[in-house]
Amino acid sequence: MKGTDSQPEIVEGCRLPVLLRNGDGWHMAEILGKKDLKGKNLYYIHYEDFNKRLDEWVTEERMDIAKLVQPSKEAKTPKKEGVKSGTESRPSSPEREVVSTPNGSAAPTTGNKKFSSSSRKRKGADDSEIDPLATPTSSRNNTPTLGLQQQNNVALNEDGSKKPRQTGSMVAHHDDIVTRMKNVEMIELGKYRIRPWYFSPYPQELTSLSIVYICEFCLKYVKSKKCLERHIQKCLLRYPPGNEIYRKGNISFFEIDGRKNKAYAQNLCLLAKLFLDHKTLYYDTDPFLFYVMCEQDCKGYHIVGYFSKEKESTEDYNVACILTLPPFQKKGFGKLLIEFSYELSKCEGKTGSPEKPLSDLGLLSYRSYWSQTILEILITMTPSEGNDRPVITINDISEMTSIKKEDVISTLQHLNLINYYKGQYIITLSHEQIDTQNKAMEKRKVRIDPKCLHWQPKDWSKRGKW
């Protein structure tokens, strides 16, 4: 649109107030893109201080053009990176557990304003979050693949040997326009149709479709319902292609080796990227294990969520990336995934922690789990012999839960439980905190039963090449 005397030109990088989808007032937004739909201009906008999952296409009717602010020359909106066939340039970046409307789409609510400030992401190296994903390169058939440019990204020691990774993410933040815009409108996964929240580098020919169809068992993506029906007739999988290491009731966990099952691991990463922000797809799945949680019925094992972890982590991270799919959120499955990751750490005889930094909502999920787990121990403690009060140390709590000491301390501080009294630190619990904890634990109907876990940790350092 060319600017006129009555209306200024609306270009990428412009800022102006936009009416929120639910009609709850106006909020400042940035123009990221523009398209013409049947002669009508649509603008892709990002609400400032809101999570990017709320970004959307809007018409001029919802924009206060009179208050349009042109982009400053000093801070231009990042230019579009070159897009090769079948490959979107590097996706910009969790965790994570995000609020969804019943139909799987996200909508701004008044409640979002409460955490909007923490939705702002720090630029630079600290933008890496908990995800093993990186940019896939393009193959000849325009299908995203991972692992073609590994040598260009590997850090080497002076003697030429490969340096160990410091984190499981290897995430670089590339905040270009292409990857700031959602490119998939809708996916169909099993009986659910879900509106994605973020960019994911699916093949370009799929991103122009109204729906991308995904097989819920092997996670292969196809372009039409008919293609999916034909694929399902041939697909041999009815569960993830790994070892079932846990089953209780209708809940199962499968361990998938990223080296042995590359296609599944890569498809899982692409699916997860639709709901995980501020991360890039990692080029190689070989160094990772994927733990997929499923619900079982007569038709097979249906994916609910997953987490990944490095086979060898120099920082003792027990989770690299974690996600509960939108249809299963707010049902306790997120805590179940976290609880399972710590059960694996207990089997390994280690304390663990999720890869840092966590996203705003990822931190809420973990802090909730840490709080409930630690309070559960404190409340059930009995006075020690010769003492009228229970005695416990930070190390004791860490060993009992496999939660790292630093996370135990930060949780106790967050709950305001540590007090200095007569030359020593004591933990004090109020009746209100105990009541809140008891109510929270009553809601956790499903818990991990260690007796149902059949798993032996492997020493990957002795296995040479994965």
Side-chain angles (χ1 to χ4, degrees), residues 246-263:
Y246 179 92
R247 184 194 296 180
K248 184 171 184 180
N250 67 335
I251 299 294
S252 290
F253 277 85
F254 290 82
E255 181 183 63
I256 290 94
D257 189 324
R259 180 182 69 83
K260 295 179 180 177
N261 298 284
K262 283 182 191 272

Side-chain angles (χ1 to χ4, degrees), residues 19-25 47 50 56 62 107-112:
L19 183 64
L20 295 173
R21 186 189 296 176
N22 59 359
D24 187 23
Y47 296 104
F50 279 13
E56 59 179 333
R62 287 176 55 190
T109 63
T110 307
N112 284 103

Side-chain angles (χ1 to χ4, degrees), residues 21 46 50 122 158 167-168 191 219 227 235 248 255 290 304 322 349 404 410 444:
R21 186 189 296 176
H46 166 65
F50 279 13
R122 289 170 289 175
E158 291 182 3
T167 73
K191 62 181 181 180
L219 305 184
C227 289
C235 185
K248 184 171 184 180
E255 181 183 63
F290 298 84
V304 170
I322 186 168
K404 258 196 175 304
S410 70
R444 284 178 66 178

Side-chain angles (χ1 to χ4, degrees), residues 225-429:
K225 187 78 170 178
K226 196 69 180 173
C227 289
L228 180 65
E229 289 170 356
R230 287 201 299 264
H231 166 78
I232 290 174
Q233 291 175 354
K234 300 175 184 177
C235 185
L236 301 177
L237 288 181
R238 287 298 176 267
Y239 51 84
N243 297 323
E244 186 179 17
I245 60 174
Y246 179 92
R247 184 194 296 180
K248 184 171 184 180
N250 67 335
I251 299 294
S252 290
F253 277 85
F254 290 82
E255 181 183 63
I256 290 94
D257 189 324
R259 180 182 69 83
K260 295 179 180 177
N261 298 284
K262 283 182 191 272
Y264 182 89
Q266 292 167 7
N267 287 337
L268 178 60
C269 291
L270 285 171
L271 172 63
K273 182 63 188 71
L274 292 170
F275 307 101
L276 300 176
D277 190 23
H278 282 80
K279 42 186 82 274
T280 53
L281 289 178
Y282 191 55
Y283 51 79
D284 184 14
T285 61
D286 286 19
F288 295 94
L289 296 168
F290 298 84
Y291 295 90
V292 180
M293 178 168 64
C294 296
E295 273 190 327
Q296 180 196 8
D297 63 18
C298 59
K299 294 182 179 179
Y301 293 77
H302 310 278
I303 181 171
V304 170
Y306 88 106
F307 68 88
S308 59
K309 64 183 291 187
E310 278 195 292
K311 294 173 180 175
E312 289 185 276
S313 173
T314 57
E315 303 292 330
D316 287 332
Y317 292 132
N318 64 355
V319 165
C321 169
I322 186 168
L323 172 72
T324 304
L325 290 171
F328 304 97
Q329 291 182 1
K330 313 299 274 187
K331 297 179 180 180
F333 288 117
K335 280 195 180 71
L336 206 62
L337 283 166
I338 296 172
E339 187 176 6
F340 190 79
S341 71
Y342 280 106
E343 283 301 328
L344 297 185
S345 294
K346 289 176 184 178
C347 290
E348 293 173 318
K350 299 177 181 177
T351 59
S353 184
E355 189 174 313
K356 308 295 193 307
L358 288 163
S359 69
D360 53 347
L361 298 181
L363 179 58
L364 286 176
S365 297
Y366 264 93
R367 187 164 277 161
S368 176
Y369 172 79
W370 290 331
S371 299
Q372 291 181 12
T373 303
I374 293 170
L375 285 172
E376 189 176 27
I377 290 173
L378 297 178
I379 290 172
T380 55
M381 284 179 60
T382 56
S384 55
E385 189 176 340
N387 201 321
D388 59 343
R389 288 191 182 93
V391 177
I392 193 168
T393 66
I394 300 294
N395 283 335
D396 292 337
I397 297 173
S398 182
E399 289 176 10
M400 292 167 71
T401 61
S402 280
I403 299 173
K404 258 196 175 304
K405 267 197 314 184
E406 295 80 3
D407 296 330
V408 173
I409 294 169
S410 70
T411 303
L412 291 172
Q413 290 173 337
H414 172 72
L415 294 172
N416 202 23
L417 296 181
I418 298 181
N419 294 284
Y420 193 70
Y421 179 72
K422 291 185 177 180
Q424 62 180 349
Y425 287 99
I426 62 170
I427 295 174
T428 54
L429 285 171

Side-chain angles (χ1 to χ4, degrees), residues 94 182 189 224-225 333 459:
K182 301 170 195 174
L189 181 70
S224 70
K225 187 78 170 178
F333 288 117
D459 187 353

Side-chain angles (χ1 to χ4, degrees), residues 52-260:
K52 288 201 307 188
R53 65 182 174 275
L54 304 179
D55 294 359
E56 59 179 333
W57 290 96
V58 301
T59 59
E60 291 182 13
E61 285 76 12
R62 287 176 55 190
M63 301 161 60
D64 190 349
I65 298 175
K67 296 182 180 177
L68 182 76
V69 179
Q70 294 288 343
S72 62
K73 293 182 181 179
E74 291 78 17
K76 288 184 178 178
T77 302
K79 294 181 180 179
K80 293 184 181 181
E81 302 274 341
V83 181
K84 299 178 183 179
S85 62
T87 307
E88 305 290 3
S89 61
R90 299 171 240 167
S92 65
S93 33
E95 243 244 292
R96 272 356 122 207
E97 305 281 45
V98 205
V99 180
S100 171
T101 54
N103 64 357
S105 63
T109 63
T110 307
N112 284 103
K113 296 176 183 177
K114 294 180 182 178
F115 57 79
S116 62
S117 61
S118 57
S119 297
R120 298 177 191 168
K121 303 297 181 182
R122 289 170 289 175
K123 305 299 179 199
D126 282 347
D127 265 337
S128 65
E129 294 196 46
I130 53 175
D131 194 10
L133 316 176
T135 311
T137 53
S138 176
S139 63
R140 292 179 184 175
N141 62 358
N142 291 343
T143 303
T145 58
L146 293 81
L148 298 181
Q149 296 186 355
Q150 179 173 353
Q151 297 305 317
N152 296 334
N153 298 283
V154 174
L156 301 177
N157 293 311
E158 291 182 3
D159 60 0
S161 60
K162 190 167 71 170
K163 284 184 180 179
R165 267 191 312 279
Q166 297 303 307
T167 73
S169 292
M170 295 289 288
V171 175
H173 187 78
H174 301 282
D175 205 11
D176 58 77
I177 287 292
V178 169
T179 60
R180 291 177 70 188
M181 296 168 58
K182 301 170 195 174
N183 60 333
V184 177
E185 186 175 336
M186 186 80 72
I187 64 167
E188 182 172 301
L189 181 70
K191 62 181 181 180
Y192 298 103
R193 282 194 176 178
I194 313 168
R195 196 174 297 279
W197 296 329
Y198 307 112
F199 172 93
S200 183
Y202 278 95
Q204 200 168 16
E205 64 267 22
L206 293 182
T207 60
S208 60
L209 303 174
S210 57
I211 301 175
V212 175
Y213 296 86
I214 300 175
C215 173
E216 63 175 326
F217 299 114
C218 72
L219 305 184
K220 180 183 168 102
Y221 44 86
V222 294
K223 61 184 179 180
S224 70
K225 187 78 170 178
K226 196 69 180 173
C227 289
L228 180 65
E229 289 170 356
R230 287 201 299 264
H231 166 78
I232 290 174
Q233 291 175 354
K234 300 175 184 177
C235 185
L236 301 177
L237 288 181
R238 287 298 176 267
Y239 51 84
N243 297 323
E244 186 179 17
I245 60 174
Y246 179 92
R247 184 194 296 180
K248 184 171 184 180
N250 67 335
I251 299 294
S252 290
F253 277 85
F254 290 82
E255 181 183 63
I256 290 94
D257 189 324
R259 180 182 69 83
K260 295 179 180 177

Side-chain angles (χ1 to χ4, degrees), residues 15-33:
R15 297 168 59 251
L16 78 172
V18 176
L19 183 64
L20 295 173
R21 186 189 296 176
N22 59 359
D24 187 23
W26 298 78
H27 195 86
M28 207 66 178
E30 179 187 359
I31 305 291
L32 299 184

